[in-house]
Amino acid sequence: MPRTLRPVAALTLVALAVPALASCSSGASAEPTSSSAASAVTVDNCGTEVTVDSPPQRIVTVKSSTLELALALGAGDRIVGSAYSDGPLPADLASAGKGIPVIAEKVPSQEAVLALNPDFVFAGWESNFSADGVGERDALQQLGVTTYVAPAACQEKKYQPDPLTFDAVFDSFLQAGDLLGEKDAAKKLVDEQKAQLAELRPDDRGLTAVWYSSGSDQPFVGAGIGAPQLLMHSAGLTNAFSDVKESWFSTSWEKVADLNPDVIVLVDSTWNTAQHKIDVLKANPVASTLKAVQNDAFLTVDFPATESGVRNVDAVASLIDQLAER
């Protein structure tokens, strides 16, 4: 697909153009590095060099994970719009997020984004940046809009976490803090979550689990290198599909039945609830034979916690608590 911006009226682009905050050159490093300006930060983000010369003042977030991280870092007063929410904000961030305009239920158009005159777009997925979505990264760059993808969502093998670890999650908080001008807040957030994680005691029974995200005829499950693997492993569960080098993938109920896990982790969302998934499992002639289904051995995780972000440690704690009740 050509890396060009979808046509927008010339007068609109002139009116919406903002001072360039980013520049591209070779030799980016994976860690933030200082440039000639004392406050400038440069990072290699999924293969795209991202530079901010000063903290962005008009931020647009796409996906809950990016909105929640920006809020947790104290940048809420600079967020001019959000999109693609996976669910309500957690209680501790609800006040900070109140009043932020929602510009789209799913991926916003580039026209909707540019109408906010942003200087920074923080996306949860690389695919959010497309000609049919927010816009191509290089095209937005030419309009003075810096683009940044949550590092755990990078798809190229060189940049994709393999596997995702809490060290990588915390490093992404620190990198976002550098780019958003909230370095101290990021360090505080990491210190707090590290301390919380250190207090957790994983289940020690050696239980196997399948992470069931979606799908009826063909289940979409958590595999071995992404957030599902991280959360299950940290809670003391053995992912039945840990040998699959993907974050998620589609499989068959017959394969799940062959593995016959002790528990099933259900992703809960408003559009595809955990109860709906239980109904699917019990109605399916193959899935209904699983010991986990027959024993109602179900655990739940809220959808916004299923990607790398500020909810991951709480999700592990919740899984451990649910296991303790079984």
Side-chain angles (χ1 to χ4, degrees):
M1 179 181 295
R3 295 183 65 80
T4 56
L5 188 65
R6 201 167 55 190
V8 180
L11 288 177
T12 302
L13 290 180
V14 171
L16 298 176
V18 293
L21 289 175
S23 60
C24 292
S25 62
S26 61
S29 63
E31 298 297 326
T33 58
S34 297
S35 69
S36 57
S39 60
V41 176
T42 297
V43 300
D44 183 351
N45 178 230
C46 304
T48 295
E49 186 176 272
V50 174
T51 297
V52 295
D53 296 317
S54 60
Q57 298 302 306
R58 299 187 63 80
I59 303 165
V60 171
T61 63
V62 185
K63 293 290 290 179
S64 288
S65 57
T66 59
L67 172 61
E68 292 173 5
L69 177 54
L71 290 174
L73 295 178
D77 60 342
R78 291 181 280 137
I79 301 174
V80 296
S82 68
Y84 213 155
S85 172
D86 297 318
L89 288 168
D92 61 331
L93 297 177
S95 178
K98 187 176 181 180
I100 293 175
V102 176
I103 59 176
E105 293 301 317
K106 296 296 184 180
V107 180
S109 68
Q110 55 193 307
E111 291 88 349
V113 171
L114 290 174
L116 298 173
N117 198 24
D119 55 15
F120 192 93
V121 179
F122 189 2
W125 295 343
E126 276 192 277
S127 60
N128 297 155
F129 292 114
S130 68
D132 294 326
V134 175
E136 298 278 5
R137 297 187 74 174
D138 58 352
L140 291 170
Q141 176 77 31
Q142 292 171 23
L143 295 174
V145 182
T146 301
T147 63
Y148 181 66
V149 177
C154 295
Q155 292 301 299
E156 288 188 25
K157 295 300 182 182
K158 178 180 178 181
Y159 298 99
Q160 185 180 47
D162 183 10
L164 181 66
T165 64
F166 269 111
D167 283 343
V169 173
F170 297 148
D171 284 347
S172 73
F173 295 173
L174 296 173
Q175 187 173 89
D178 284 337
L179 291 167
L180 299 181
E182 299 290 354
K183 187 171 184 176
D184 291 343
K187 184 179 185 305
K188 180 181 179 182
L189 175 64
V190 168
D191 288 346
E192 290 174 349
Q193 293 212 350
K194 281 185 175 180
Q196 182 186 357
L197 188 64
E199 291 295 319
L200 299 181
R201 296 293 176 264
D203 190 274
D204 61 1
R205 287 173 287 177
L207 301 176
T208 59
V210 164
W211 177 287
Y212 177 24
S213 290
S214 62
S216 297
D217 296 332
Q218 191 174 33
F220 191 58
V221 301
I225 68 172
Q229 168 66 20
L230 173 63
L231 300 187
M232 287 188 286
H233 175 75
S234 299
L237 295 169
T238 297
N239 180 6
F241 290 105
S242 62
D243 60 332
V244 178
K245 290 289 187 175
E246 302 287 347
S247 296
W248 297 268
F249 82 113
S250 292
T251 187
S252 66
W253 289 121
E254 287 76 14
K255 180 60 177 177
V256 174
D258 288 343
L259 296 170
N260 202 16
D262 297 306
V263 300
I264 298 176
V265 180
L266 306 172
V267 177
D268 192 28
S269 65
T270 56
W271 61 91
N272 191 354
T273 65
Q275 183 58 55
H276 172 71
K277 292 184 176 73
I278 292 173
D279 294 341
V280 168
L281 289 165
K282 292 193 172 184
N284 184 283
V286 177
S288 61
T289 66
L290 296 170
K291 61 184 176 184
V293 175
Q294 294 178 348
N295 295 331
D296 288 325
F298 303 120
L299 310 177
T300 62
V301 176
D302 288 338
F303 191 98
T306 64
E307 297 173 359
S308 175
V310 297
R311 298 200 199 201
N312 291 159
V313 175
D314 282 343
V316 172
S318 175
L319 287 173
I320 291 172
D321 288 346
Q322 291 176 66
L323 285 165
E325 293 172 359
R326 298 205 56 80

